[in-house]
Amino acid sequence: MQIIDGTIASPKGFYATGLHAGLKKEKKDLGVIYSAIPANAAAVYTTNQVKAAPIFVTKEAMADQKVQAVVVNSGIANACTGDLGLENAKEMQSLAATQLNVAKENVAVASTGVIGKQLPMEIIESGISKIDLQQQQPYAFHEAILTTDTSTKEIVVTEEINGQMVTMAGVAKGSGMIHPNMATMLAFITTDAQISKELLQEMLADKTETTFNQITVDGDTSTNDMVLVLANGLAENPIIEKNSEAHEKFIAMFQLVSETLAKMIAKDGEGATKLIEVQVVGALSDTEARLVAKKVVGSSLVKTAMFGEDPNWGRIICAVGYAGSQTDPEKIDMWIGDQQLLNHSQPQEFDELVMKETLEKEKICITVDLNIGEQSGKAWGCDLTYKYIEVNALYHT
């Protein structure tokens, strides 16, 4: 497997572009992904009971798990907008279908931005009418889906599968309101591999649990979270069979793409200065290990300690204790970086100079060994800074 430079349109038969329609003052705010043929599709969505209108429209479009185009806007989430918001999401779908000459039923819709505002449909209509895939600018799509993000998030990988070179590309946005349970988090993954709808959905559901659902910035689950995967088969590889070598290769590609995007989202948390990775080992199950890891990385006290470069292990063990998994409070081992802080729950002496250097890095790794089982899990998050308060205090204005 090889990571290459590229965009969401790197797999064969995919096109993408983005532009400034006018939903935001200056930045790009409208984008599309298009496949030359209808692609097999899989999706997971927010579990927040308050769901944005585009979620309902996309779920309906996904009834046959075929998608040929995706239209996305940023700036306005089209959430909590009632019947009019739902009609606007459907109109957005119809406008994109007409402009791209595809069936309306094969167009997915996504939105991100401020909750509670109606989409100005004259701006949406004008923007969609300017979409020209003959002059596509795929990187502009990466930019068009951003809100408070400080950078685009993308990865492209290639692998030989069943004698053909297969490409997979992923792009995501998310910086605040990140605590997926399937930040505002959107992720789109394209591939030219030939794989069934059933295997695609099974893989997405499984790998979402260990990647996108293992990140947290602020503990808030968005109304708009969506991960959408499109596979158009234009690499012309023999169809991937379950549990085959080709299947394992494809899963490895997807794991790398998903985990990389998840880490990028966590690192770009609003106001963040550090990526925090928590690994929990020695648990009774991988589910419990992931639960503990996410509780630790999501703790406001742990996050502020990492921002302050303070090795306050008491905050970490506190989060372990209330995570809700089985633990033996007398058996916990803990490390920050290579420095051991606890051995069977007993404090250990550590090199303060080395610890200072560890906590000054952009990535901080915390390891917790529960010493009661054989299973493990990881989670990713970021520190909690003064800037996070500033960004969110002024978000609506």
Side-chain angles (χ1 to χ4, degrees):
M1 190 188 325
Q2 183 178 4
I3 298 176
I4 64 170
D5 291 334
T7 69
I8 194 65
S10 290
K12 291 179 182 177
F14 282 99
Y15 304 82
T17 196
L19 52 83
H20 174 242
L23 297 171
K24 296 190 291 192
K25 289 183 179 179
E26 297 175 353
K27 298 179 180 179
K28 295 179 178 65
D29 50 23
L30 185 69
V32 298
I33 301 171
Y34 170 83
S35 173
I37 62 173
N40 285 343
V44 289
Y45 312 94
T46 180
T47 57
N48 193 320
Q49 292 186 58
V50 179
K51 293 177 173 62
I55 296 288
F56 296 105
V57 174
T58 296
K59 280 187 172 183
E60 187 174 342
M62 282 286 295
D64 63 352
Q65 288 188 257
K66 286 284 188 180
V67 170
Q68 191 167 2
V70 185
V71 58
V72 188
N73 76 274
S74 61
I76 296 175
N78 195 8
C80 302
T81 48
D83 291 341
L84 179 57
L86 185 60
E87 288 305 312
N88 287 340
K90 291 179 179 178
E91 178 66 12
M92 190 170 162
Q93 179 189 47
S94 295
L95 290 167
T98 300
Q99 183 68 15
L100 300 172
N101 194 29
V102 302
K104 181 180 73 172
E105 295 76 16
N106 288 342
V107 178
V109 182
S111 299
T112 180
V114 177
I115 292 172
K117 285 190 174 183
Q118 295 289 350
L119 287 171
M121 292 309 295
E122 68 281 0
I123 291 178
I124 294 290
E125 183 174 3
S126 175
I128 290 176
S129 72
K130 296 173 184 174
I131 292 171
D132 183 2
L133 293 178
Q134 298 302 314
Q135 300 181 23
Q136 65 161 335
Q137 300 180 58
Y139 193 76
F141 176 86
H142 302 198
E143 296 176 338
I145 65 176
L146 305 181
T147 51
T148 58
D149 307 64
T150 63
S151 62
T152 60
K153 302 163 181 67
E154 61 274 322
I155 178 174
V156 182
V157 298
T158 59
E159 174 70 284
E160 185 176 317
I161 294 181
N162 287 340
Q164 296 292 335
M165 191 60 66
V166 166
T167 303
M168 183 182 294
V171 62
K173 66 82 52 182
S175 190
M177 200 179 280
I178 303 295
H179 191 76
N181 282 309
M182 342 206 181
T184 302
M185 189 197 79
L186 297 176
F188 305 99
I189 298 172
T190 58
T191 179
D192 47 23
Q194 189 167 199
I195 185 171
S196 72
K197 297 177 286 188
E198 293 76 17
L199 276 188
L200 201 63
Q201 184 66 48
E202 180 182 292
M203 179 195 65
L204 173 61
D206 179 52
K207 292 305 177 183
T208 294
E209 288 300 317
T210 59
T211 57
F212 294 113
N213 279 356
Q214 284 302 108
I215 58 175
T216 183
V217 168
D218 45 26
D220 287 320
T221 300
S222 165
T223 55
N224 294 57
D225 288 340
M226 180 191 300
V227 182
L228 182 63
V229 186
L230 306 181
N232 66 15
L234 291 179
E236 299 183 344
N237 58 288
I239 192 165
I240 295 170
E241 301 288 347
K242 188 171 184 177
N243 298 327
S244 64
E245 180 183 354
H247 190 209
E248 293 304 312
K249 284 184 175 181
F250 188 77
I251 288 174
M253 293 175 75
F254 191 82
Q255 173 73 31
L256 178 59
V257 169
S258 299
E259 186 172 313
T260 300
L261 292 177
K263 289 180 181 179
M264 287 177 174
I265 292 169
K267 184 178 181 181
D268 195 32
E270 289 170 340
T273 64
K274 303 176 189 298
L275 172 67
I276 306 170
E277 178 178 283
V278 177
Q279 177 171 253
V280 173
V281 300
L284 290 179
S285 70
D286 57 356
T287 301
E288 291 201 346
R290 295 198 305 268
L291 174 64
V292 174
K294 197 169 182 181
K295 284 291 185 182
V296 172
V297 83
S299 163
S300 295
L301 292 177
V302 172
K303 292 155 69 69
T304 51
M306 295 303 100
F307 172 60
E309 299 175 359
D310 177 12
N312 190 339
W313 56 263
R315 295 180 174 185
I316 300 171
I317 198 169
C318 178
V320 172
Y322 66 64
S325 70
Q326 296 186 63
T327 58
D328 184 333
E330 304 301 321
K331 290 186 176 182
I332 299 170
D333 297 341
M334 186 190 301
W335 293 260
I336 294 181
D338 296 328
Q339 297 284 293
Q340 186 167 12
L341 304 179
L342 292 180
N343 182 4
H344 273 54
S345 301
Q346 296 301 305
Q348 303 296 296
E349 296 291 333
F350 58 87
D351 188 316
E352 292 188 7
L353 182 59
V354 173
M355 180 61 75
K356 182 177 183 295
E357 293 173 350
T358 297
L359 293 175
E360 287 174 346
K361 294 178 179 178
E362 290 185 359
K363 180 180 179 182
I364 299 172
C365 296
I366 297 171
T367 304
V368 176
D369 191 341
L370 300 179
N371 284 307
I372 59 171
E374 303 295 329
Q375 303 307 309
S376 62
K378 287 183 179 180
W380 300 272
C382 60
D383 55 346
L384 184 57
T385 70
Y386 306 122
K387 187 68 175 178
Y388 177 85
I389 305 299
E390 180 183 334
V391 169
N392 283 283
L394 302 175
Y395 184 77
H396 198 269
T397 56

